[in-house]
Amino acid sequence: MDNLHLLKKIEQQYENNLPFVLYSYPEKENVNFILQKDAVWYDTESSFEEYFIFSPFDSKNKAICIPLAKSYHFETNYLKTNVEINEIETSDHVNDKKSYLKLVADAIQNIQSQKATKIVISRKKVVQLKEFNLLELIERMLNLYPKAFRYVWYHPSTGLWCGASPEVLLETDGDSFRTMALAGTQKNHHRKKVEWNLKEKNEQQVVVDSIQKSLKKITSNVTISNTYNHKAGSLIHLRTDISGTIKKAHTGLRAIMSLLHPTSAVCGLPKNYAKTYILEKENYKRDFYTGFLGFIDESKNNSRLFVNLRCMKIENTTANLYLGCGITKDSDPSKEWEETSHKSQTMLQVISSMI
């Protein structure tokens, strides 16, 4: 089946309000398509072994799945095309900025009073589109960010989401696992040497330590890499890879996922305090932003799951971009706002021709 025919099937699936997901792994030119045959909501309690999961930030809300057994599924190469990239200028409402700066300042105060070590504060940026073109969105998403996990997801119960995530939540292959800590962020100025300040280095170490502690009881032979620079679109992050062995072969994927999610990179520490703070104080619902998504084969204990970062939800001709920063005692509210603005460029590039 050629690419054009597949994309037309996706377009028809969308018009018929039927669930689908298409996704491509980092550094890969293959695209996986899963087209659900009905519009039923399937969750992780359903008796399916192979499925694509779309899980929200708040684990009190159920994850939704597209099971292979209820879908048509294909894998194909996509045609690479040259996509133009330009800095996109968009305005933010002055009250949005004031509200975010106030929330960050409040988080810093809580951290300085030792109620938390880190709290991730996010915001939603609303962009109006002149028009929306699904096939153009798919083309730009796949071509702009080859080093990221790229996806476009639709379900009538969740709406249309898409993203280009640089962060692995969990990869398992039998009893082996791999994850990463990805915390520090700065704009990519294409310099030979990238300088990181103490705040960013400390924030990265907090995430590494938190992941290691979370998995300590169920893993062994853990290897932690040196921290290095990871380029993601117009941004650079600090990255540390963590891998090892799952102690008990019967330790299910769901148990590991619940230990990791949400990581301190998207929530904070202590996890329960930071999560409660986020749910109570942020002026919107994250829904699936900073949740996770990916393919699971429970029969083989195999998974490739990514944190839902650099993402957006599109409703008719409105694009909702989700942007966040890790706040510590050394944070500066105005710099954190600036960081969220840099992060907005990732999805703004995808919809640039529609603005």
Side-chain angles (χ1 to χ4, degrees), residues 43-315:
D43 59 35
T44 52
E45 303 306 314
S46 305
S47 56
F48 298 106
E49 292 184 332
E50 295 178 287
Y51 52 87
F52 191 98
I53 188 171
F54 198 55
S55 187
F57 167 70
D58 188 356
S59 53
K60 290 180 181 178
N61 300 321
K62 284 189 175 183
I64 185 168
C65 305
I66 298 182
L68 247 57
K70 294 289 184 179
S71 308
Y72 303 105
H73 48 96
F74 317 89
E75 183 179 352
T76 184
N77 287 334
Y78 69 89
L79 296 174
K80 295 183 74 174
T81 57
N82 292 323
V83 178
E84 189 175 340
I85 300 175
N86 296 300
E87 190 86 5
I88 308 298
E89 293 287 341
T90 59
S91 60
D92 289 285
H93 196 283
V94 64
N95 289 337
D96 291 340
K97 184 173 183 178
K98 285 181 180 178
S99 177
Y100 187 77
L101 294 176
K102 185 178 183 300
L103 187 56
V104 171
D106 183 71
I108 293 169
Q109 191 173 24
N110 274 260
I111 293 165
Q112 289 175 340
S113 62
Q114 300 185 335
K115 293 179 181 178
T117 306
K118 174 184 175 179
I119 303 173
V120 177
I121 300 299
S122 69
R123 66 184 178 98
K124 181 171 72 171
K125 179 181 175 69
V126 179
V127 179
Q128 297 301 324
L129 309 178
K130 292 178 182 176
E131 59 179 358
F132 174 67
N133 186 312
L134 178 61
L135 299 190
E136 188 173 337
L137 177 92
I138 293 170
E139 181 187 17
R140 291 186 67 82
M141 180 65 70
L142 292 174
N143 283 283
L144 276 167
Y145 306 111
K147 293 184 178 181
F149 175 75
R150 294 141 289 160
Y151 80 91
V152 179
W153 161 283
Y154 173 74
H155 195 289
S157 301
T158 65
L160 182 72
W161 287 72
C162 59
S165 176
E167 183 173 352
V168 171
L169 176 73
L170 177 68
E171 292 185 357
T172 56
D173 183 5
D175 62 355
S176 65
F177 80 91
R178 186 175 77 86
T179 184
M180 67 167 67
L182 196 79
T185 304
Q186 62 176 271
K187 190 173 182 180
N188 185 2
H189 294 287
H190 304 285
R191 296 172 181 145
K192 288 185 179 180
K193 187 175 181 181
V194 180
E195 299 289 344
W196 296 96
N197 61 37
L198 187 60
K199 180 261 181 187
E200 293 160 332
K201 290 178 181 178
N202 288 341
E203 184 187 348
Q204 176 70 8
Q205 192 59 48
V206 163
V207 176
V208 173
D209 294 343
S210 172
I211 292 173
Q212 190 177 13
K213 184 179 178 180
S214 296
L215 295 177
K216 188 175 182 179
K217 290 182 180 179
I218 64 165
T219 60
S220 60
N221 304 319
V222 175
T223 300
I224 300 175
S225 75
N226 292 328
T227 298
Y228 59 97
N229 297 332
H230 177 84
K231 295 179 182 179
S234 61
L235 303 172
I236 298 179
H237 301 284
L238 284 170
R239 171 173 167 175
T240 310
D241 297 324
I242 302 167
S243 60
T245 304
I246 302 165
K247 281 182 182 177
K248 298 179 182 178
H250 298 295
T251 300
L253 281 170
R254 297 180 195 184
I256 304 169
M257 290 187 291
S258 65
L259 287 171
L260 282 174
H261 174 71
T263 70
S264 57
V266 299
C267 182
L269 280 174
K271 183 188 289 189
N272 288 339
Y273 179 87
K275 185 177 177 181
T276 300
Y277 183 93
I278 289 165
L279 293 174
E280 289 180 355
K281 300 286 187 177
E282 281 187 346
N283 299 319
Y284 77 104
K285 290 184 179 180
R286 290 191 181 188
D287 290 331
F288 293 92
Y289 166 61
T290 62
F292 63 89
L293 70 164
F295 189 76
I296 290 175
D297 182 348
E298 289 195 16
S299 66
K300 298 177 182 177
N301 216 48
N302 286 0
S303 66
R304 291 193 76 176
L305 304 173
F306 294 80
V307 182
N308 197 15
L309 298 175
R310 311 296 127 77
C311 63
M312 62 182 166
K313 179 182 181 181
I314 295 180
E315 301 173 285

